[in-house]
Amino acid sequence: DIVMTQSPDSLAVSLGERATINCKSSQTVLYSSNNKNYLAWYQQKPGQPPKLLIYWASTRESGVPDRFSGSGSGTDFTLTISGLQAEDVAVYYCQHYYTPPYTFGQGTKLEIK
Amino acid sequence: QVQLQESGPGLVKPSETLSLTCTVSGGSIRSYYWSWLRQSPGKGLEWIGYIYYTGSTNYNPPLKSRVTISVDASKNQFSLRLSSVTAADTAVYYCARNMVGAASGAFDIWGQGTMVTVSS
């Protein structure tokens, strides 16, 4: 199985500042035949299910604000939230979908400083 | 828009079978893959398996011997059965829709989740 490891486990960022969350996969999730990274990011607020933010490592889901961006390739990925807003307080997860079984990172808890 | 709703018992005894159903509303169950996932404090988010509306399935190997996912397209529902449960199966269980095409391992619509506790 591909192991997904996120860092940090938690972080506190001031309103309006940038938050950066990292995700590393134990093997590549870049599929050479289509040059796509099979990597998604989710946001989960308390008492709610995860919400898809980004897929293909950098494609925003419809309706997701453009302050959320994803980058990276191969085994190393980053979720960046530019201009942090109060409603962005949540736990963020990366997930690979390169091949079953699909696995998630352990989550990064984002708080306001 | 498409919505998912899980239903089933919130309490299951050890060694018995956990059974949940997910009802799809606002759209058809056809032409999509549908998954079950769970979330517990100890194991985080875990994909259990998926089913295509035609009935083909894929399960997470650690659970494969105990899991059955089925679909009833006429009712726009799919279901999860997990046998021989233990306390380790206590979790919030989610049903979710897989994205279409090559991104079909990502999940774009989720149910609200249902808490299942395994206890005597």
Side-chain angles (χ1 to χ4, degrees):
Chain A
D1 298 1
I2 298 176
V3 177
M4 309 299 292
T5 303
Q6 293 180 228
S7 62
D9 289 334
S10 63
L11 77 161
V13 175
S14 301
L15 289 172
E17 297 300 307
R18 174 178 298 176
T20 301
I21 299 170
N22 301 300
C23 174
K24 189 174 184 69
S25 56
S26 61
Q27 64 189 73
T28 187
V29 298
L30 173 63
Y31 196 37
S32 56
S33 66
N34 60 8
N35 201 36
K36 287 184 178 291
N37 288 285
Y38 284 56
L39 190 285
W41 288 96
Y42 299 84
Q43 175 193 64
Q44 187 176 30
K45 297 181 179 180
Q48 297 184 18
K51 173 189 174 183
L52 178 66
L53 294 176
I54 287 171
Y55 57 98
W56 295 136
S58 61
T59 301
R60 269 188 304 276
E61 173 71 329
S62 175
V64 173
D66 60 7
R67 65 180 181 273
F68 291 91
S69 63
S71 62
S73 185
T75 61
D76 293 279
F77 301 91
T78 300
L79 174 69
T80 301
I81 308 170
S82 301
L84 187 73
Q85 299 190 9
E87 62 261 35
D88 300 333
V89 168
V91 179
Y92 292 85
Y93 296 93
C94 61
Q95 176 232 336
H96 87 83
Y97 50 98
Y98 185 79
T99 187
Y102 310 123
T103 55
F104 293 80
Q106 80 277 17
T108 295
K109 186 175 185 179
L110 176 60
E111 299 173 314
I112 303 296
K113 186 186 292 182
Chain B
Q1 72 277 22
V2 175
Q3 293 183 308
L4 308 182
Q5 180 65 58
E6 304 91 351
S7 59
L11 181 64
V12 182
K13 290 182 168 55
S15 79
E16 295 190 345
T17 297
L18 177 160
S19 296
L20 297 174
T21 295
C22 183
T23 300
V24 180
S25 60
S28 175
I29 202 168
R30 300 181 186 276
S31 303
Y32 285 94
Y33 288 86
W34 304 88
S35 283
W36 286 98
L37 304 99
R38 66 184 183 180
Q39 185 172 32
S40 61
K43 293 198 73 175
L45 277 163
E46 182 179 29
W47 172 74
I48 298 170
Y50 67 59
I51 189 165
Y52 194 49
Y53 78 101
T54 56
S56 64
T57 56
N58 193 317
Y59 301 137
N60 198 339
L63 299 170
K64 188 173 183 177
S65 64
R66 299 193 292 130
V67 171
T68 302
I69 299 177
S70 57
V71 65
D72 187 336
S74 67
K75 294 182 178 179
N76 244 25
Q77 293 177 333
F78 61 106
S79 299
L80 169 71
R81 287 173 59 86
L82 180 66
S83 64
S84 304
V85 297
T86 69
D89 296 309
T90 294
V92 176
Y93 285 76
Y94 294 101
C95 57
R97 189 180 78 172
N98 294 46
M99 295 188 74
V100 294
S104 62
F107 313 105
D108 61 350
I109 300 176
W110 296 63
Q112 279 300 114
T114 187
M115 179 69 202
V116 178
T117 301
V118 178
S119 175
S120 55

